[in-house]
Amino acid sequence: MSTIPFNDLSRTPPELLSEIEDAVGSVVRSGWFVMGPQHAALEQELAAYLGVSSAVLVGNGTDALELALCAVGVKAGDLVLTTANSGAYTSVASRLLSARPVFADVAADTLLMTAETFERALVSLPKTPAAVVVTHLYGMLANVAEIAALARQHGIAVVEDCAQALGSRRGGRLAGSFGDVATTSFYPTKNLGALGDGGAVLTSRPEVADRVRQLRQYGWSGKYTIERAHGKNSRMDELQAAIVRVKMSHLDRWNERRRAIHTAYEEARPTGLRFVTSVSPAYNGHLAVVQASDAAAREVARDTLRSAGIATDVHYPVPDHLQPLKELHEFDVSLPVTERAAQTIFSLPLFPELSDEEVAHVSAALGSL
Ligand SMILES: *Cc1c(COP(=O)(O)O)cnc(C)c1O
């Protein structure tokens, strides 16, 4: 068995490739490349899929966070509360608005923010945050409804980061439909990826959608008329919109395939490793994450898998509050669960195009750990 990559974006199935080629050809022939009919159609289809009233396409998932935070009123000097184990995208986006990222720890079992970790962070902060960003990490839907109920009592806006969790649902409601506003990314490795960059802001609050529409295009209220501060150019082009539309029709099926692969890994019952992710409708199979008992045990497990030709990765090795860039963490904080996770977790190969033979090989290697 040759090496099993952590991900392989070159494995486009032939039927999908020809669908994409047709879509690209029709955009090229149309002569309309930015904010045209493909863009408008994808906005409609995304909003309908999530069950929200508006989707606003933007350049990427980090811009989506920045513009969503701006649209709910986050200003320079405001605090933005989030988790420090989710790749620092929210911290970077907050700094673009000169807001100050602050952190809640996560639950030891799911590594997600909970109502309890949210409340504990809240009492330790020098002032009430203007917004909380709940990241549905690894594709697992956090309990946003409970966090939002508390946030509302304090006048804190709730942003859901769904970049990893498109299609995750609970009680018939999808990730992205619980908060004031949600964001996503179409980076190629996400469950719904473009062939380049893209992102979206999703909301059922019309005034928030209107503000993001202005912010993504220079702050324009109309052509060449600038009314809104913090505008920039952050648009998603017609080619990427057309490609994402094609791929979106396969999203639920791909997520199902991802869940089936995860189930096979769980059934291997690796000794000494615990699954952080687990299969349910609330998990779209974005990443398969396991946790070892300590840092040394993680290295042994990863080395054993590497010897069996299996690539693994760590999401994420450096928590936000320990990043070298000091402005990402102005206030000192200790986050024991987050810090321990960064030392002990790793991710297994999980993408829909893995063959059954490859899945069996990874499962066998896990079973022998
Ligand atoms: C990928 C990702 C982002 C950023 O998206 P980009 O399109 O790469 O800017 C933000 N948040 C989460 C949770 C992500 O996984």
Side-chain angles (χ1 to χ4, degrees), residues 9 20 42 59 185-199 236-237 239-245 247:
L9 296 173
I20 290 173
L42 179 58
S185 161
F186 302 113
Y187 184 75
T189 59
K190 311 296 187 190
N191 289 35
L192 180 58
L195 303 183
D197 278 313
M236 186 167 157
D237 64 65
L239 284 172
Q240 296 304 338
I243 291 163
V244 170
R245 288 186 71 206
K247 294 178 80 176

Side-chain angles (χ1 to χ4, degrees), residues 59-65 86-90 133 135-138 161-165 183-190 196-199 286-287 316:
N60 57 66
T62 308
D63 282 359
L65 283 165
S86 20
Y89 306 102
T90 292
V133 179
T135 304
H136 300 300
L137 194 65
Y138 312 142
D161 182 347
C162 300
Q164 304 189 357
T183 63
T184 197
S185 161
F186 302 113
Y187 184 75
T189 59
K190 311 296 187 190
D197 278 313
H286 179 61
L287 287 174
Y316 296 90

Side-chain angles (χ1 to χ4, degrees), residues 217-260:
Q217 187 148 250
Y218 324 114
W220 280 0
S221 54
K223 203 171 177 187
Y224 306 134
T225 307
I226 299 165
E227 238 172 57
R228 186 160 292 281
H230 303 292
K232 64 195 296 187
N233 177 359
S234 182
R235 298 178 299 217
M236 186 167 157
D237 64 65
E238 284 293 281
L239 284 172
Q240 296 304 338
I243 291 163
V244 170
R245 288 186 71 206
V246 166
K247 294 178 80 176
M248 197 167 151
S249 63
H250 304 280
L251 175 63
D252 287 335
R253 186 171 54 81
W254 287 333
N255 286 352
E256 219 30 73
R257 169 71 181 156
R258 287 170 174 273
R259 290 189 190 99

Side-chain angles (χ1 to χ4, degrees), residues 81 104-105 107 112-122 134 142-151:
L81 178 60
D105 209 349
L112 299 172
M113 184 191 291
T114 62
E116 196 219 319
T117 71
F118 168 81
E119 270 199 306
R120 242 192 299 135
L122 216 52
V134 182
N143 198 340
V144 207
E146 238 176 72
I147 295 166
L150 293 170

